[in-house]
Amino acid sequence: MVGLTKNARITHLDLSHNKITNHGSRLLARLIDKDSVISFICLADNLIHAEVWAVGFLIMISGRQGGRYLGRALKMNQSLQFLNLRLNRLTDSGGQSLLEGLHQQSTLTNLNIAANSLGSAFARSFAVVLQERQVKLRFVDVSSNDLNNEDVESITNAIKDNSTLCDLELRMNQHNPQSEAHQFIKRVTYQNELKTQLRAIC
């Protein structure tokens, strides 16, 4: 990745299934600074969980550091539109650190963070991001995580005035997919998608 630090041509980068870990995510963060031209990055299944330490006979894993590196880079980035981080181990702490980089980010439209052991703390931070007008997320996949009914409810409250989110994938979480909150999210995102299509036609 060092050879890409002065990249001015490559816009799509797929490093999925390469076990780059947090060290790789730190190097990658240098590629998506404010001068980056990369618009598509796939980092699926890369063991991005950053910190590993032993407590007695237990191995503890934290994704905060890997998420922090990418979050910091996203704060400055002005080109990235698609980011796939599914099948990593961000956990709540790493997911929150990643989201910190989205507060002032206006180019990212597609975010896949499925299967990252994300729960309530992540959901609260995600709800805050969804309420910020400069955030332009359109398609977000948070499937196969640990979101419960209360988490989905907090997201529901956040998207009431959101006009950009067109799809939020929630399958395989710990919530009730038949709940009113889930159905509300489906209605809002569907309406946003229709409005987006109409604007494209006009």
Side-chain angles (χ1 to χ4, degrees):
M1 282 190 282
V2 176
L4 292 173
T5 52
K6 296 183 179 180
N7 166 57
R9 295 185 178 181
I10 296 175
T11 58
H12 283 53
L13 192 61
D14 189 343
L15 296 173
S16 55
H17 315 294
N18 272 293
K19 299 181 181 179
I20 69 170
T21 69
N22 71 305
H23 179 66
S25 68
R26 183 177 185 178
L27 293 175
L28 180 67
R30 299 175 184 175
L31 303 182
I32 55 173
D33 61 11
K34 61 184 178 64
D35 297 319
S36 173
V37 296
I38 297 175
S39 61
F40 176 106
I41 295 180
C42 184
L43 297 174
D45 189 22
N46 265 299
L47 301 179
I48 299 176
H49 52 66
E51 301 166 341
V52 180
W53 67 93
V55 180
F57 292 103
L58 298 176
I59 299 298
M60 309 298 290
I61 297 175
S62 169
R64 183 171 181 82
Q65 194 171 359
R68 185 189 298 127
Y69 293 143
L70 295 173
R72 286 176 178 172
L74 286 173
K75 287 182 179 180
M76 299 181 291
N77 181 273
Q78 299 176 7
S79 64
L80 194 64
Q81 299 175 23
F82 180 101
L83 178 60
N84 187 339
L85 286 166
R86 69 184 179 86
L87 292 172
N88 282 289
R89 303 175 187 175
L90 289 176
T91 69
D92 268 355
S93 58
Q96 287 180 289
S97 293
L98 178 71
L99 291 178
E100 287 175 7
L102 296 183
H103 288 289
Q104 304 298 325
Q105 226 284 351
S106 60
T107 63
L108 190 69
T109 58
N110 293 54
L111 177 63
N112 188 334
I113 40 179
N116 268 285
S117 300
L118 303 172
S120 298
F122 165 83
R124 289 191 294 271
S125 296
F126 183 48
V128 172
V129 167
L130 288 176
Q131 294 179 78
E132 298 192 7
R133 298 198 175 198
Q134 64 269 34
V135 174
K136 303 301 181 183
L137 287 172
R138 292 188 60 201
F139 305 99
V140 180
D141 190 340
V142 291
S143 60
S144 302
N145 281 296
D146 302 319
L147 305 180
N148 58 36
N149 289 328
E150 291 183 1
D151 300 332
V152 174
E153 185 70 36
S154 67
I155 294 172
T156 298
N157 294 330
I159 68 167
K160 289 179 179 178
D161 296 318
N162 183 294
S163 61
T164 59
L165 189 64
C166 297
D167 186 31
L168 178 61
E169 183 56 70
L170 288 163
R171 70 185 186 282
M172 300 296 291
N173 273 285
Q174 298 180 8
H175 75 298
N176 176 10
Q178 302 304 320
S179 68
E180 178 57 33
H182 186 105
Q183 298 306 311
F184 179 82
I185 291 173
K186 290 177 65 176
R187 289 195 298 272
V188 170
T189 53
Y190 177 69
Q191 290 169 1
N192 287 344
E193 175 64 19
L194 288 179
K195 292 176 183 177
T196 300
Q197 293 177 357
L198 286 172
R199 284 195 294 268
I201 294 173
C202 298

